[in-house]
Amino acid sequence: MKIGIPRALLYHSYKDLWLTFFENLGIETVVSPPTNKKIIRNGNFNTIDEACYSSKIYIGHVEYLLDKCDYIFVPRIENTGVKEEFCTRLFGIYDLVVNTFPEAKLLHANINYNFRKTEKDAFIAIGEALGKTSEESKIAYLQALDKAEKIRSEAIIKQQELLKSENLKVLIVSHSYNTFDAAIGESVLKFFKEQNIEVIFADIVDFKEAKQRAKEKYSRIYWRPSTELVGGLELYKEQIDGIVLISTFPCMPDSIVNELIIRTTNDKPILSLMFDELDASAGLMTRLESFTDILTSKKVGVKGVR
């Protein structure tokens, strides 16, 4: 048996948990390749114009997997706790996939803490659907969760070390499914690496601490991923030289939260990047180069540069 996992949306946040869980159960996984032009084209073809670019990419990844596995894993994660909601595009992606590809065999998980549908219960149900016992599934999940949390803790520690660097440092305020997608944030990360600029990620942070920092600044932000990003910004902003916002069109939460960040963060240069299915890499490089020039000027203390 092979379980297909689209390399898009929440995969980039939960891959360590998901892949380890299936591995612990002895089930092979097939992850779709990095986003390419064919995946983008198929995603655009199978979605309405109003869908955000990130969800269009997801649909392209699902189509890629249709004939390459027995089931495609498409979870519905509505929240991770009380007042920790996800965007409707994220928890509605299962319905979008079902109606776009009715022939697809989907492996489904429904996580909604408001109705006591916990992550652990969801993964036990997934294991049972695959022919495993409740106990086998529970152990596989707990071991996978432990591994995923250790990997995340190590990433936070590594980032703390990067913050001590004397190099220029930029804070990427972006959802991981945008930051690490080959068609979106990958070119931005590559550019900064080539310029010997340290990249810090706002969402590599302890969520409880980020949630508290975000609450102190803005009372409450409705969406959990946005809360994580804003809290990470508040934690790291005094240790970085500039901020890069990466979003996809037309993301409603980002349109609100990014504007909030721009209006209330006055002491750091901010570059806001919006991606869609139209490839405009030349313009992107020009903006990144100009932003880097501003950071460099501020670093060396050139007068008149804000």
Side-chain angles (χ1 to χ4, degrees):
M1 182 182 294
K2 294 182 180 180
I3 304 298
I5 302 180
R7 190 190 296 265
L9 292 185
L10 293 178
Y11 166 82
H12 295 280
S13 298
Y14 288 93
K15 62 180 179 179
D16 296 316
L17 173 64
W18 295 352
L19 296 177
T20 305
F21 172 75
F22 290 118
E23 180 184 352
N24 290 345
L25 291 179
I27 296 173
E28 183 180 354
T29 53
V30 179
V31 181
S32 55
T35 304
N36 53 47
K37 290 184 178 180
K38 184 177 181 180
I39 286 176
I40 295 172
R41 184 171 61 250
N42 291 339
N44 287 332
F45 179 79
N46 286 292
T47 53
I48 59 174
D49 292 340
E50 290 77 11
C52 70
Y53 184 37
S54 301
S55 59
K56 290 179 180 178
I57 287 176
Y58 186 91
I59 292 298
H61 280 273
V62 171
E63 183 171 59
Y64 172 88
L65 290 168
L66 287 176
D67 60 351
K68 296 177 177 62
C69 56
D70 299 292
Y71 293 95
I72 300 176
F73 181 53
V74 183
R76 184 206 305 275
I77 304 178
E78 297 193 39
N79 54 62
T80 55
V82 178
K83 297 183 179 181
E84 294 179 9
E85 302 295 329
F86 279 80
C87 167
T88 54
R89 295 288 188 187
L90 291 176
F91 69 71
I93 199 68
Y94 172 80
D95 301 286
L96 182 59
V97 172
V98 166
N99 286 279
T100 305
F101 306 110
E103 75 281 9
K105 294 182 178 180
L106 304 181
L107 184 61
H108 181 46
N110 192 12
I111 300 171
N112 187 336
Y113 282 74
N114 291 333
F115 293 93
R116 299 182 180 179
K117 297 178 180 180
T118 68
E119 183 178 79
K120 183 177 75 173
D121 292 338
F123 275 87
I124 291 175
I126 290 169
E128 291 175 338
L130 295 173
K132 307 297 180 178
T133 67
S134 175
E135 188 63 22
E136 287 174 327
S137 303
K138 177 182 176 181
I139 293 173
Y141 165 73
L142 293 176
Q143 291 178 344
L145 181 64
D146 182 61
K147 180 178 178 179
E149 289 179 344
K150 285 181 179 179
I151 291 174
R152 184 168 182 82
S153 296
E154 290 170 359
I156 293 172
I157 294 172
K158 182 178 179 180
Q159 184 153 280
Q160 293 290 348
E161 292 300 315
L162 285 179
L163 287 166
K164 300 175 183 178
S165 172
E166 294 298 321
N167 296 337
L168 284 171
K169 296 179 284 291
V170 296
L171 180 67
I172 303 295
V173 181
S174 166
H175 306 298
S176 59
Y177 54 81
N178 292 332
T179 306
F180 301 109
D181 192 278
I184 305 173
E186 190 174 90
S187 56
V188 177
L189 303 184
K190 181 180 178 182
F191 172 85
F192 287 128
K193 182 179 181 180
E194 291 173 348
Q195 300 300 314
N196 199 32
I197 296 175
E198 305 293 354
V199 177
I200 308 299
F201 302 100
D203 59 345
I204 296 184
V205 65
D206 178 82
F207 177 69
K208 290 183 179 180
E209 187 174 5
K211 185 177 180 180
Q212 181 60 36
R213 288 296 189 96
K215 183 178 180 181
E216 292 171 359
K217 180 75 173 182
Y218 300 114
S219 181
R220 184 201 170 195
I221 295 176
Y222 184 79
W223 304 281
R224 183 201 188 280
S226 299
T227 300
E228 187 173 55
L229 292 177
V230 169
L233 169 61
E234 290 301 306
L235 280 169
Y236 296 131
K237 69 178 182 180
E238 299 303 326
Q239 304 173 73
I240 50 91
D241 300 291
I243 300 166
V244 178
L245 309 175
I246 301 177
S247 302
T248 54
F249 181 82
C251 177
M252 187 271 288
D254 282 0
S255 68
I256 297 173
V257 175
N258 287 359
E259 185 66 21
L260 186 67
I261 290 172
I262 291 170
R263 293 190 182 196
T264 58
T265 306
N266 302 314
D267 55 346
K268 300 291 180 181
I270 299 177
L271 174 63
S272 181
L273 300 173
M274 182 71 71
F275 288 80
D276 59 22
E277 53 268 37
L278 302 177
D279 185 9
S281 57
L284 172 64
M285 289 301 111
T286 299
R287 296 188 67 191
L288 289 171
E289 289 167 359
S290 299
F291 183 67
T292 301
D293 288 343
I294 293 173
L295 298 184
T296 303
S297 297
K298 285 179 67 66
K299 190 76 170 180
V300 299
V302 174
K303 294 182 179 180
V305 179
R306 182 172 180 267

